[in-house]
Amino acid sequence: MKLNITKPIIKYRNISKSFGSLRVLNDLSLDIAPNEKVALIGPSGSGKTTLGRLLMTLERPDAGTIEVDGEMLWHKEVNDQLMAADEKHLHRIRSKIGMIFQQFNLFPHMNVLRNVTEAPIHVLGLSKEEAKEHAVAMLKKVGLGERMEHYPSQLSGGQQQRVAIARALVMKPKVMVFDEVTSALDPELVGEVLAVIKEIASEGEMTMLLVTHEMDFAREVADRILFMDGGAILEQGPPEQIFGNSQNPRTRDF
Amino acid sequence: MWDWNYTLSFIPELLGALKITISATFVGFFLACLLGLPLTMARRSRCKPLSLVTAGIIEFIRSTPLLAQVYFIFYVFPNYGLSLSPFAAGVIALGIHYATYLSEVYRGGIEAIPKGQWEAARALNFSKSRTWIKIILPQAIPPILPVMGNYLIGMFKETPLLSAITLVEILQVAKITGAQSFRYLEPITIVGILFLVLSYISSIGVQRLETKLNRR
Ligand SMILES: Nc1ncnc2c1ncn2[C@@H]1O[C@H](COP(=O)(O)OP(=O)(O)OP(=O)(O)O)[C@@H](O)[C@H]1O
Ligand SMILES: [Mg+2]
């Protein structure tokens, strides 16, 4: 597949973010091409999650801009001036982005089917029948066609995470953020979740930002690996380069 | 000792007053449930001064006696042109007093919802109001229902306080009956039994609710 990096779908520009006195992202810039699969690796606390959360609008940048599909995410351009975006604007841009969390974050009071149909009905305005049709198809795709009446507490972690993936996918985002989606799972359940992600990745039509500690998975799925440390991207390149003969001693150590 | 004829003679009047007691409880509790909401929102507001002032008000109302608040509303408000019937003054006082407790119960219920639920709702692009209605409240309310039920029972038992502002509730009727016939044993005992029975039935209801909710 050919990636068009001259027309990025995501542009981070000079992004800085601090929590109190802790500077988590430091003047970071990054372009991601449409349909590109980018794996983010790096030591704990290096700012990987924060980078994804900024895109999902769960955190607000202190400085810099993020562009999604040609539009500012956190800002609005009014007479050539950048203004803070209002909720309406955020709502519109956010519809292009989805995120999968480490802790699944399923809605415990809804069964699997309702977890997946709730947002299509109440956010996209689909009819119940339509939403159900999409949800059933998506749940089958992630291998949970038989579990639709179950509640999240009745599922294994791996199953819950696959529901979360289905729940995000029915919203048809262009970009998906996966934040260490297997690190809360028992080792024997990691494979089933990674397999689902690999399948989605192989279909091509999705831009993915994958924060992961699973190096084999990153090597297999990603077009590009980013190594982050101290709130900056220290090194990046195709998997062969990063895993093969990294120029950077810190990357090699890691 | 116990005079059944006498007992039967005042029972109808007592049951009439029981209606007043029960309606004061429910109207007061309804007010408390409603008033608790804005208190919770103000308390949780990101605007620090508002949150602090609200916390102060809540603390003040909770740590002054309900009776003083009842007197204040009934006897002081008329000086400022607001004369209320004993019933109205009573339920307003109960409503305000218990609203401060309920607001903290609401707050506890809301804050027990993990941050991840809010974040998942945002990631799926739910609007603010949908997030509350579909995600947060359905999870926050069931666990606090038993606590709310216990406050309802507590409030029921405090209604005799309203006799202090001449509301004719059951204890007041019992007292008047006793004073007229110089026999307090029967009326006061019957009132006690009425409170016991009603509170007991309600608390069994609350317990049932609790086990049902815990099973889920
Ligand atoms: N909401 C927050 N408030 C305060 N500090 C935070 C917050 N979120 C993140 N941090 C801190 O920011 C730093 C970077 O966090 P981040 O989660 O982005 O790192 P990470 O690279 O994802 O690490 P890990 O591999 O452990 O997940 C950490 O030191 C973290 O403790
Ligand atoms: Mg992280």
Side-chain angles (χ1 to χ4, degrees):
Chain A
M1 191 180 50
K2 196 92 184 72
L3 293 174
N4 184 359
I5 196 68
T6 58
K7 210 168 168 291
I9 188 168
I10 303 290
K11 279 195 212 173
Y12 289 89
R13 281 292 174 278
N14 308 101
I15 289 288
S16 293
K17 174 72 187 173
S18 301
F19 292 110
S21 60
L22 178 72
R23 201 169 173 96
V24 177
L25 293 176
N26 205 349
D27 198 33
L28 180 147
S29 296
L30 168 66
D31 285 2
I32 300 176
N35 301 334
E36 189 178 13
K37 320 292 184 254
V38 175
L40 262 181
I41 62 172
S44 185
S46 55
K48 308 181 295 296
T49 295
T50 306
L51 197 62
R53 288 171 59 85
L54 286 166
L55 190 60
M56 193 65 261
T57 67
L58 299 173
E59 304 288 355
R60 181 188 291 273
D62 299 334
T65 60
I66 302 175
E67 251 179 62
V68 176
D69 209 10
E71 281 185 281
M72 291 287 179
L73 173 62
W74 284 105
H75 302 85
K76 261 170 118 168
E77 281 160 296
V78 183
N79 309 327
D80 285 343
Q81 293 248 319
L82 285 187
M83 312 268 283
D86 51 22
E87 178 52 36
K88 202 172 140 213
H89 176 90
L90 286 173
H91 185 83
R92 192 164 56 78
I93 311 289
R94 199 188 283 132
S95 68
K96 301 179 182 188
I97 302 165
M99 181 161 178
I100 307 295
F101 303 88
Q102 203 170 331
Q103 298 299 339
F104 333 131
N105 297 347
L106 292 182
F107 304 131
H109 58 302
M110 299 178 187
N111 68 16
V112 165
L113 187 63
R114 261 196 75 202
N115 260 280
V116 182
T117 54
E118 201 69 2
I121 292 171
H122 296 294
V123 179
L124 303 181
L126 298 194
S127 71
K128 280 196 174 132
E129 294 72 33
E130 250 180 309
K132 184 171 174 188
E133 202 177 302
H134 292 185
V136 169
M138 200 56 84
L139 283 166
K140 284 188 177 149
K141 186 168 168 182
V142 301
L144 288 170
E146 311 292 306
R147 293 280 189 279
M148 292 192 283
E149 305 297 322
H150 286 59
Y151 280 81
S153 59
Q154 301 169 312
L155 301 179
S156 74
Q159 291 171 331
Q160 290 189 52
Q161 193 59 295
R162 286 184 282 144
V163 174
I165 292 172
R167 183 177 70 170
L169 286 178
V170 290
M171 298 301 283
K172 301 205 175 355
K174 292 187 168 183
V175 183
M176 285 269 279
V177 179
F178 293 83
D179 185 19
E180 296 195 34
V181 296
T182 57
S183 58
L185 298 178
D186 293 335
E188 71 271 19
L189 301 176
V190 168
E192 64 189 54
V193 173
L194 294 185
V196 165
I197 300 175
K198 277 179 211 167
E199 191 192 329
I200 302 159
S202 68
E203 289 167 4
E205 291 290 293
M206 174 79 70
T207 309
M208 291 185 176
L209 185 60
L210 303 136
V211 180
T212 186
H213 285 300
E214 304 279 341
M215 295 304 160
D216 292 334
F217 169 70
R219 184 201 303 253
E220 194 177 333
V221 174
D223 301 302
R224 181 161 48 131
I225 310 278
L226 303 181
F227 177 73
M228 276 186 77
D229 197 7
I233 296 165
L234 281 198
E235 196 181 3
Q236 54 178 305
E240 315 82 61
Q241 178 194 325
I242 302 290
F243 292 120
N245 53 340
S246 167
Q247 313 300 310
N248 190 306
R250 283 208 49 107
T251 316
R252 265 201 316 263
D253 286 351
F254 184 73
Chain B
M1 274 303 287
W2 183 278
D3 184 343
W4 278 107
N5 282 334
Y6 170 53
T7 307
L8 289 175
S9 75
F10 65 75
I11 286 256
E13 208 185 337
L14 211 54
L15 289 181
L18 184 62
K19 261 190 241 155
I20 294 180
T21 295
I22 290 178
S23 31
T25 307
F26 279 105
V27 175
F29 192 70
F30 178 73
L31 275 181
C33 289
L34 281 188
L35 290 173
L37 283 174
L39 283 179
T40 309
M41 291 196 283
R43 183 71 181 82
R44 285 175 40 82
S45 164
R46 245 175 293 172
C47 168
K48 265 271 138 56
L50 179 61
S51 166
L52 285 177
V53 167
T54 312
I57 293 172
I58 289 175
E59 191 53 43
F60 176 75
I61 296 178
R62 289 172 86 158
S63 48
T64 49
L66 176 55
L67 186 58
Q69 290 157 20
V70 170
Y71 278 154
F72 196 84
I73 291 175
F74 191 66
Y75 292 116
V76 180
F77 277 20
N79 296 346
Y80 301 94
L82 189 63
S83 298
L84 295 164
S85 71
F87 185 84
V91 296
I92 289 172
L94 284 173
I96 292 176
H97 192 81
Y98 276 84
T100 61
Y101 289 96
L102 286 182
S103 77
E104 292 295 289
V105 174
Y106 294 158
R107 192 159 74 99
I110 291 165
E111 287 177 2
I113 305 300
K115 215 174 87 213
Q117 293 291 307
W118 294 93
E119 297 188 342
R122 161 120 13 134
L124 292 166
N125 222 353
F126 279 97
S127 65
K128 262 254 152 63
S129 57
R130 293 272 189 214
T131 302
W132 276 106
I133 294 167
K134 297 288 174 185
I135 316 293
I136 304 303
L137 292 180
Q139 294 184 65
I141 291 174
I144 64 172
L145 287 178
V147 189
M148 291 175 70
N150 286 333
Y151 277 118
L152 176 65
I153 296 170
M155 191 179 217
F156 172 61
K157 286 191 284 196
E158 283 210 78
T159 47
L161 218 59
L162 303 188
S163 62
I165 52 169
T166 72
L167 184 73
V168 190
E169 46 66 60
I170 43 176
L171 193 61
Q172 180 80 336
V173 168
K175 207 177 90 187
I176 295 167
T177 310
Q180 282 166 353
S181 51
F182 306 104
R183 281 193 73 98
Y184 285 96
L185 171 69
E186 290 86 353
I188 304 286
T189 309
I190 295 288
V191 166
I193 291 171
L194 279 176
F195 270 105
L196 175 72
V197 168
L198 289 173
S199 304
Y200 185 68
I201 292 173
S202 320
S203 65
I204 287 179
V206 170
Q207 269 171 27
R208 286 255 171 89
L209 184 66
E210 212 163 359
T211 33
K212 196 168 151 205
L213 291 169
N214 284 340
R215 244 200 329 256
R216 290 201 324 176

